[in-house]
Amino acid sequence: MNTQAGSHSVPHHFETAQQAFESAKLGMWLFLVTEILLFGVLFCIYIMYRGLYPEMFHEASLHLNRVMGATNTAVLLISSFTMAMAVHRAKHDDRVTAVRMLAITFFCGVIFMTIKYFEYTHKIHEGLLPAGMFSYDHVTHVKMPLFFSLYFMMTGLHGIHVLVGMGLILWVMVRCQRGAFGHAYSTPVELTGIYWHLVDLIWIYLFPLLYLIG
Amino acid sequence: MHQATQGHGNYLTEGGFWSWFTTLDHKRIGVMYLFTTLAFFIVGGLFAVLIRLELFRPGNLFSPDLYNQLFTFHGAIMIFMFIIPIIPAALGNFFLPLMIGAKDVAFPRLNLTSYYLFIGGAMLAVAALFSGGVDTGWTFYAPYSLRSQTAVILVTLGVFVMGFSSILTGLNFMVTIHKLRAPGMTFHRMPLFLWAIYATAIIQVLATPVIGITVLLIVMERVLQIGFFDPKLGGDPVLFQHFFWFYSHPAVYIMILPGMGIISEVVTVFSRKHIFGYVAIAYSSLAIAFISFLVWGHHMFVSGQSPLANLLFSVLTMMVAIPTAIKIFNWTATLYKGSIQLQTPMLYALSFLFLFTIGGLTGLFLATLSVDVHLHDTYFVVAHFHYVMMGGTVMGLLAGIHYWWPKMFGRMYPELSGKISCFLIFLGFNVTFLPQFYLGRLGMPRRYADYDASFTTWNMVSTIGSWFIFAGFLWMFAYLIWSLFRGEKAGDNPWGAKTLEWQTSSPPQVYNFEKIPEVKEGPYHYGVMKTE
């Protein structure tokens, strides 16, 4: 059951390393399906309330900072690219580049969360908060607080996922640095990559749905 | 770790007491699940006995508030801590790898994690019991669950964590079935129990995340007042019902499908006959899993759903009866001209056929719109789902526990005692719940601590029935514990069954098989030898 070091041994209940890798990958994909369903509920709530109050969604979304949102989108897209590169390089025994790419990916996560922090503090300052705590003065639509509930729930849940992803990236980066991965075994890098792409993908949906309502 | 004992040692005796807590062996994890969930079953069952005692003569035992807490905990414990986990996580964990000829599940460490998550979630719920209780019912309907002064947050967090455990178990099983089958073990040579477990795992993976986020939103409603489900803040309480039942209706099939899987095994083995309609039973499990996602709205016929939605959900709900009936007919056909042996597992399997059919058919009454308006939230519904959950799942579970007991622990349960307790439970169950159909039809509402004086007689009968069930289970737990130490030693294959778990020692050795078996035929080739 040893998972350390380059001489990674196949767990006893698998016949081959290939079988172990395929199982891990299938497991990860199934996990991502559950993640999509988890977010799916929030998307459902979004669809329902937007269908009911389209004009409110438009007005409320004007309170979001599009520049910050767009920057974050770009940052995550770049991070997805560097993550893919990291997986690729780790598989080709290019440890130095792989670690570098993981470091950039992690740094992108830091930028994303920093920008998110400034967005959140600004909203909190203005009183654009979840329904029951909403205290913004110039409300143009009585249902507007619901939009900010959605905003905080969706981006909050996504933000938690970003943090988890950053933790995973840090972990595989350290292991990669120690030479744990190569062409024979790179499952954790690959799985972290798949996860990170999903987190990125969810943001790709969140950004237009929350920030760009025309 | 495995010096000297290969061949002699078994999974139970390897290592000391503490090694159980860090074990990655699917059999040990299965056994731990079995005892944990049975412990919760005892607690939930005692609550049920108390509920019935109160209803024997209302107003004498508990205050209405305490009564609300009792039925909430009875429901929540039975559903989230007993009936959802027990068959997949206990028996499935133990037998899935054995039945496909694998050494373990795909992710043993995840398996242990999932067990501890379950314990963690259960502890949260138990903590709620000791910090004011909960009085919302197990359904946590908004807006009451947003206002109740009881420990709703603890219980919902517990449900969230246990849901995670359920997802991980299902995910683990799906990967195991896809990737770890022994050579020659094609999908169509898998025992039907595994088809059922597979269908269950699909629901666990696809439905549980929805309840996870939904109960989390209830927590958020209470902490941050997000208002999605709160009419006071512009939200919609019916939306909560949609999300809740989007999980909780498929969850009914998480509960019943594994029970059906056990019946497929037991009916075949004790009829000494190849199962009738293997393919039909296998795919009907998947069909039930599929349809289960499309019927949640039948819980909301009177919640202000549109008539069109009601109609669609009504029709879709009735469609569940088709794959279910396919199973029932195939089991019955398997019995036909079989050499039937009436040992305890088979008695429970026959009880299942009898009781589950009643439970299933009364479900059709409730799926019928006009009838449901009358029967909604009455004791008819209570009787219906107890016939499905207890008459179905629990009977299947008891069949499975008795059938596999010799394999799990290497000892036989006492046969006569088994039959006596089966008789008591079957009798008690019908005495308890048949009158409730009648009470429901008369209009007695569920979840009330009191009732109209005209309902007294049948409520008393119902309560007396619950004592028989109680006695039956008491007797069962006594002889099962006794048999662990004093039971007759079981051979490797006491029932002469053909599936792989019987082809290894009882109890199985640590890595299941001396060498990975090669599978050359289907799991139920009874009587074929004679003609060859």
Side-chain angles (χ1 to χ4, degrees):
Chain A
M1 302 305 297
N2 181 15
T3 49
Q4 280 296 324
S7 60
H8 179 80
S9 59
V10 179
H12 76 94
H13 57 291
F14 290 113
E15 295 293 314
T16 61
Q18 182 65 19
Q19 188 192 20
F21 171 65
E22 282 176 6
S23 302
K25 208 164 168 175
L26 178 60
M28 194 64 197
W29 280 110
L30 283 173
F31 179 71
L32 293 193
V33 171
T34 70
E35 290 282 23
I36 289 170
L37 282 152
L38 194 77
F39 278 95
V41 167
L42 290 170
F43 280 105
C44 266
I45 297 177
Y46 177 93
I47 291 168
M48 199 195 89
Y49 284 124
R50 181 159 170 191
L52 284 174
Y53 316 114
E55 69 295 347
M56 177 276 273
F57 270 66
H58 171 64
E59 281 163 29
S61 87
L62 296 176
H63 292 282
L64 299 183
N65 189 326
R66 286 185 180 179
V67 176
M68 283 184 166
T71 314
N72 261 348
T73 311
V75 166
L76 277 193
L77 281 173
I78 292 168
S79 80
S80 252
F81 172 71
T82 54
M83 186 74 228
M85 284 304 287
V87 175
H88 184 66
R89 291 329 300 168
K91 274 187 182 169
H92 287 78
D93 299 296
D94 184 355
R95 193 209 307 176
V96 180
T97 319
V99 170
R100 206 170 288 160
M101 286 298 157
L102 285 169
I104 297 174
T105 316
F106 180 81
F107 187 64
C108 286
V110 175
I111 297 177
F112 180 90
M113 290 312 291
T114 314
I115 292 179
K116 208 77 248 156
Y117 169 78
F118 284 114
E119 280 193 83
Y120 272 19
T121 39
H122 185 65
K123 295 285 163 305
I124 293 166
H125 180 72
E126 286 200 309
L128 292 164
L129 288 165
M133 299 148 79
F134 192 85
S135 60
Y136 186 66
D137 295 332
H138 317 288
V139 195
T140 45
H141 193 294
V142 280
K143 298 281 184 175
M144 202 191 265
L146 277 180
F147 178 86
F148 286 93
S149 297
L150 268 169
Y151 169 77
F152 277 103
M153 286 303 109
M154 292 176 109
T155 58
L157 188 64
H158 178 260
I160 291 169
H161 280 78
V162 172
L163 287 175
V164 170
M166 287 165 67
L168 289 172
I169 290 167
L170 207 57
W171 173 65
V172 291
M173 195 164 82
V174 170
R175 287 186 62 190
C176 193
Q177 175 67 32
R178 290 182 188 154
F181 309 122
H183 64 279
Y185 173 72
S186 62
T187 312
V189 197
E190 190 129 345
L191 298 190
T192 306
I194 298 175
Y195 174 84
W196 189 254
H197 293 315
L198 180 88
V199 173
D200 183 17
L201 191 65
I202 288 171
W203 179 258
I204 302 292
Y205 280 90
L206 288 182
F207 174 57
L209 284 179
L210 294 171
Y211 291 75
L212 306 178
I213 303 174
Chain B
M1 188 172 137
H2 49 99
Q3 72 271 39
T5 47
Q6 274 292 19
H8 294 290
N10 65 57
Y11 81 98
L12 286 171
T13 51
E14 198 89 14
F17 177 72
W18 290 104
S19 70
W20 279 80
F21 292 91
T22 53
T23 183
L24 299 178
D25 185 338
H26 68 99
K27 299 183 286 301
R28 287 189 160 193
I29 295 172
V31 168
M32 293 198 292
Y33 262 119
L34 184 68
F35 286 114
T36 318
T37 44
L38 282 177
F40 286 126
F41 173 69
I42 293 172
V43 179
L46 288 175
F47 282 136
V49 171
L50 291 177
I51 289 170
R52 280 311 329 163
L53 267 184
E54 165 68 21
L55 292 176
F56 191 74
R57 290 185 67 188
N60 288 331
L61 218 48
F62 308 119
S63 69
D65 279 337
L66 193 55
Y67 180 85
N68 290 348
Q69 302 214 359
L70 276 178
F71 77 69
T72 300
F73 274 102
H74 166 67
I77 288 175
M78 284 301 198
I79 286 176
F80 294 114
M81 304 183 204
F82 165 66
I83 207 162
I84 286 180
I86 190 163
I87 301 184
L91 298 178
N93 233 324
F94 198 108
F95 289 104
L96 188 156
L98 282 165
M99 288 172 119
I100 57 170
K103 289 179 189 154
D104 208 319
V105 291
F107 312 116
R109 225 173 305 182
L110 196 66
N111 202 12
L112 186 67
T113 311
S114 151
Y115 175 74
Y116 281 117
L117 278 177
F118 174 68
I119 295 293
M123 285 305 117
L124 282 172
V126 171
L129 185 59
F130 292 105
S131 52
V134 179
D135 61 355
T136 60
W138 77 279
T139 50
F140 311 114
Y141 266 19
Y144 184 66
S145 60
L146 313 181
R147 314 249 192 281
S148 166
Q149 292 303 307
T150 54
V152 176
I153 291 182
L154 275 176
V155 179
T156 45
L157 281 179
V159 170
F160 176 77
V161 175
M162 285 186 281
F164 229 95
S165 155
S166 183
I167 290 174
L168 296 180
T169 303
L171 185 152
N172 213 340
F173 288 179
M174 280 179 84
V175 176
T176 309
I177 287 179
H178 273 288
K179 298 291 177 192
L180 288 183
R181 300 191 310 278
M185 177 61 84
T186 59
F187 259 79
H188 282 188
R189 283 179 185 166
M190 281 198 318
L192 287 165
F193 177 61
L194 298 187
W195 278 89
I197 288 289
Y198 185 80
T200 308
I202 293 177
I203 308 177
Q204 283 176 301
V205 169
L206 294 185
T208 319
V210 174
I211 189 88
I213 185 77
T214 306
V215 292
L216 222 48
L217 287 176
I218 288 281
V219 175
M220 288 295 145
E221 290 271 7
R222 291 178 69 100
V223 177
L224 296 176
Q225 298 176 287
I226 53 175
F228 292 156
F229 307 134
D230 192 343
K232 208 172 72 185
L233 297 171
D236 182 356
V238 179
L239 190 60
F240 172 82
Q241 296 185 21
H242 277 289
F243 291 135
F244 181 82
W245 290 115
F246 184 83
Y247 165 77
S248 296
H249 198 79
V252 170
Y253 301 95
I254 295 180
M255 306 173 205
I256 192 67
L257 274 169
M260 292 171 158
I262 293 174
I263 299 306
S264 298
E265 301 298 319
V266 171
V267 161
T268 323
V269 171
F270 291 88
S271 301
R272 321 295 320 154
K273 209 179 135 211
H274 193 290
I275 190 125
F276 191 90
Y278 173 92
V279 176
I281 296 182
Y283 286 95
S284 63
S285 293
L286 293 183
I288 290 175
F290 175 71
I291 302 174
S292 77
F293 282 100
L294 308 174
V295 300
W296 80 89
H298 70 219
H299 292 271
M300 299 152 61
F301 283 159
V302 295
S303 304
Q305 230 173 198
S306 76
L308 178 67
N310 278 352
L311 187 72
L312 287 174
F313 280 122
S314 170
V315 172
L316 284 163
T317 302
M318 291 186 186
M319 273 171 58
V320 182
I322 297 170
T324 311
I326 288 176
K327 282 179 189 291
I328 299 271
F329 291 140
N330 280 301
W331 291 324
T332 317
T334 306
L335 295 173
Y336 179 67
K337 289 195 175 172
S339 316
I340 293 173
Q341 294 166 325
L342 289 178
Q343 272 123 332
T344 311
M346 186 59 155
L347 289 180
Y348 279 115
L350 295 176
S351 307
F352 175 101
L353 286 182
F354 185 77
L355 301 176
F356 178 74
T357 304
I358 296 176
L361 288 176
T362 48
L364 287 179
F365 293 32
L366 295 168
T368 312
L369 288 171
S370 53
V371 182
D372 184 68
V373 172
H374 177 67
L375 295 177
H376 187 86
D377 265 348
T378 67
Y379 263 78
F380 191 92
V381 178
V382 176
H384 155 68
F385 69 71
H386 280 90
Y387 264 84
V388 175
M389 299 289 85
M390 189 168 172
T393 309
V394 175
M395 293 301 151
L397 167 73
L398 297 178
I401 286 180
H402 286 84
Y403 173 57
W404 280 315
W405 193 259
K407 179 54 68 184
M408 285 191 282
F409 302 107
R411 297 198 184 252
M412 299 300 290
Y413 61 88
E415 189 61 54
L416 179 66
S417 289
K419 283 178 179 161
I420 292 172
S421 87
C422 178
F423 174 76
L424 283 173
I425 292 171
F426 182 81
L427 181 81
F429 177 81
N430 284 298
V431 174
T432 308
F433 291 104
L434 263 183
Q436 295 186 5
F437 280 123
Y438 185 60
L439 286 168
R441 200 202 65 80
L442 292 178
M444 178 174 165
R446 62 193 282 208
R447 291 183 168 163
Y448 281 75
D450 204 348
Y451 49 77
D452 188 82
S454 62
F455 300 138
T456 308
T457 315
W458 288 113
N459 267 295
M460 285 182 160
V461 173
S462 181
T463 301
I464 291 168
S466 72
W467 300 338
F468 282 96
I469 305 178
F470 182 72
F473 274 109
L474 208 60
W475 185 241
M476 180 189 301
F477 286 126
Y479 73 70
L480 284 181
I481 291 167
W482 175 87
S483 79
L484 281 179
F485 304 100
R486 297 282 160 80
E488 188 192 326
K489 285 243 191 256
D492 290 350
N493 191 357
W495 314 121
K498 301 277 184 178
T499 39
L500 285 181
E501 80 271 28
W502 299 103
Q503 316 310 321
T504 183
S505 49
S506 298
Q509 54 189 348
V510 176
Y511 292 125
N512 294 351
F513 299 96
E514 292 276 344
K515 74 185 225 298
I516 293 298
E518 211 162 304
V519 184
K520 297 199 173 65
E521 55 179 21
Y524 308 115
H525 271 256
Y526 296 100
V528 177
M529 300 303 277
K530 287 177 211 154
T531 55
E532 268 172 3

